[in-house]
Amino acid sequence: MEMDFERCYRAVDSRDQRFDGWFYTGVTSTGIYCRPSCPATTPKRQNVRFFPSAAAAQGAGLRACRRCRPDAAPGSPQWDVRADVVGRAMRLIADGVVDRDGVPGLASKLGYTERHLHRMLRAEMGAGPLALARAQRAQTARILIETTGLGMAEIAFAAGFGSVRQFNDTVREVYGIAPSELRAARGRHEAPVGAGTITLRLAYRPPLHARALLDFLAVRALPGVEEVRDRTYHRGLRLPHGAGQVALTPADGHVAATLRLADLRDLAPAVARCRRLLDLDADPAAVDATLAADPALAPAVAAEPGIRVPRAVDGFELAVRAIIGQQVSVTSARTTLTRLLSARDRVDGSLEPGQPDDQRGESGAGGLRGFPSAEDVLGMPDAAFGMPVGRRETVRALARAVADGELDLAPGGDREETVRRLLALPGIGPWTAGYLAMRAFGDPDVLLPTDLAVRRGAAALGLPDTPKTLDAYAERWRPWRSYATIRLWRAA
């Protein structure tokens, strides 16, 4: 990644928070690195270096600024836009793959040798996969130190460190103080009540149209899995090491998150999935500038800046939702999915025979649990599906492909290859594949021209509303056609 010094320095001098996460400012005279919007006095030019990642700044011997907390900045929006190997690697590292499977596991998922992967990441990010994962572990450790009452040894292993000594050395190197001093510096901040409960702030680049996000999720909320109440989105999570639940409340400049985890090793992947769900790493200024250049969309952009693409915490879950939602209303799809979840809950005892769907027990924090896995769906009887035979078999074919490892619906998967394999499954067409590319895989440039609601929204805005003419017209919205799709849905 090339760093243009003048452009970066101007962003730092103006404290432009839009560039937080895009790059990091190293100050050689103080030995610290900051986010571009740090409120401290602008350093002299001769004392400044710019880095493409926190890991690169740490590798240069700099420690994180305690004032602006650069490790808590939003992630670079590049990883939403880019579908290349580096982009996929960054998403997988954020999801904790290196902590769970090591660099060999990461390289295997990407289909490259460890050496070549290291070379690519060093060239783009200024640091290799281990250093990038280490920077993430340091951030996870800081969160646990400041928001829980756990002992330091427990925090070390929960954050992914191999030893307490490694944990102590890394925290000292990155933050310039010992873990115990970091905890003392939090002042009177009380740790949340309950084992495995963590509270933190998820930063984003403003503006954020929170109501649009919550409205979208509320209409599609599945009983026992998710709900929206009091401007807070609650849902159950299925994570690598166990179950979890999250409550997300949009606020000014951040989203307040309360996580309840069965295993604290799942903190980093839980945070990454919540950020992805709410599209918090997006660059709304860039998106809105492109869409507002179209006179037909300009009034909507001005009235509702910061519209995001609601994404997913679980690619398989969204794929099942998309298949069941083909050619039916959102309400009908929700009803069918609720029956499927009820069947799962009756099988494992979460619901007694005859018990209403909204009276689930405490399987999972607060009664909310993650969506069934591919293996769970394969084990369900025909009666659980409540849909035409062809659609039921499509869901099963999808579940079989995921369970067998033939289909990777994780955010680090190869988008083009995954779409190709999806289209090869019986019953999956371009609409379903495109919907998944937009919401599950994070492709920012997907239009669904055959979607009825998209066409209605286009007509409401005075735009062409036949699939062919709308598809041609939408070329002016590249590379943000996914965001245009959300706006057309809202217009409908």
Side-chain angles (χ1 to χ4, degrees), residues 223-227 236 243-245 260 341-342 344-353 355-370:
V225 172
E226 57 188 338
E227 62 181 2
Q245 186 185 30
R260 296 174 63 186
L341 293 170
S342 298
R344 184 271 306 268
D345 292 345
R346 295 186 198 284
V347 168
D348 65 17
S350 300
L351 282 177
E352 299 295 333
Q355 184 181 8
D357 296 342
D358 60 356
Q359 295 182 12
R360 288 169 172 77
E362 292 300 315
S363 55
L368 297 180
R369 18 185 351 206

Side-chain angles (χ1 to χ4, degrees), residues 315-445:
F316 174 71
E317 171 187 340
L318 192 65
V320 173
R321 287 177 179 244
I323 292 169
I324 292 176
Q326 292 173 356
Q327 299 176 337
V328 299
S329 68
V330 170
T331 302
S332 297
R334 185 174 180 270
T335 300
T336 301
L337 285 160
T338 300
R339 289 199 203 103
L340 187 69
L341 293 170
S342 298
R344 184 271 306 268
D345 292 345
R346 295 186 198 284
V347 168
D348 65 17
S350 300
L351 282 177
E352 299 295 333
Q355 184 181 8
D357 296 342
D358 60 356
Q359 295 182 12
R360 288 169 172 77
E362 292 300 315
S363 55
L368 297 180
R369 18 185 351 206
F371 194 82
S373 67
E375 292 78 8
D376 291 336
V377 170
L378 284 174
M380 291 181 181
D382 291 352
F385 289 85
M387 63 188 75
V389 173
R391 192 159 299 172
R392 179 188 71 205
E393 293 310 309
T394 297
V395 172
R396 282 182 169 157
L398 171 81
R400 194 173 299 112
V402 171
D404 292 344
E406 297 174 1
L407 190 62
D408 183 6
L409 299 178
D414 184 318
R415 288 177 187 165
E416 290 187 4
E417 177 64 15
T418 302
V419 167
R420 186 186 67 78
R421 295 190 180 194
L422 280 168
L423 292 173
L425 294 176
I428 292 184
W431 181 91
T432 305
Y435 185 81
L436 286 172
M438 178 175 69
R439 293 196 58 203
F441 313 148
D443 190 336
D445 196 33

Side-chain angles (χ1 to χ4, degrees), residues 121-211:
L121 287 172
R122 283 285 302 178
E124 292 263 2
M125 304 303 303
L130 276 178
L132 292 163
R134 176 177 175 271
Q136 178 170 284
R137 284 196 290 270
Q139 180 187 3
T140 301
R142 180 184 63 78
I143 293 170
L144 293 174
I145 290 168
E146 295 182 343
T147 65
T148 75
L150 292 174
M152 295 302 174
E154 293 176 282
I155 290 174
F157 295 110
F161 290 99
S163 68
V164 175
R165 181 177 180 179
Q166 185 187 62
F167 158 72
N168 286 328
D169 291 345
T170 299
V171 171
R172 283 181 179 275
E173 182 180 335
V174 173
Y175 299 109
I177 57 176
S180 57
E181 295 176 87
L182 198 58
R183 172 164 284 175
R186 76 181 181 185
R188 297 183 178 180
H189 176 75
E190 295 294 330
V193 177
T197 301
I198 300 160
T199 60
L200 64 154
R201 293 182 171 194
L202 306 181
Y204 61 79
R205 293 175 190 82
L208 171 71
H209 199 293
R211 184 168 58 82

Side-chain angles (χ1 to χ4, degrees), residues 249-270:
T249 307
D252 186 19
H254 69 277
V255 173
T258 300
L259 288 154
R260 296 174 63 186
L261 305 174
D263 192 319
L264 288 176
R265 291 178 295 174
D266 284 327
L267 176 58

Side-chain angles (χ1 to χ4, degrees), residues 233-259:
Y233 174 73
H234 305 258
R235 76 157 291 142
L237 300 170
R238 185 162 49 84
L239 297 164
H241 297 104
Q245 186 185 30
V246 65
L248 299 168
T249 307
D252 186 19
H254 69 277
V255 173
T258 300
L259 288 154

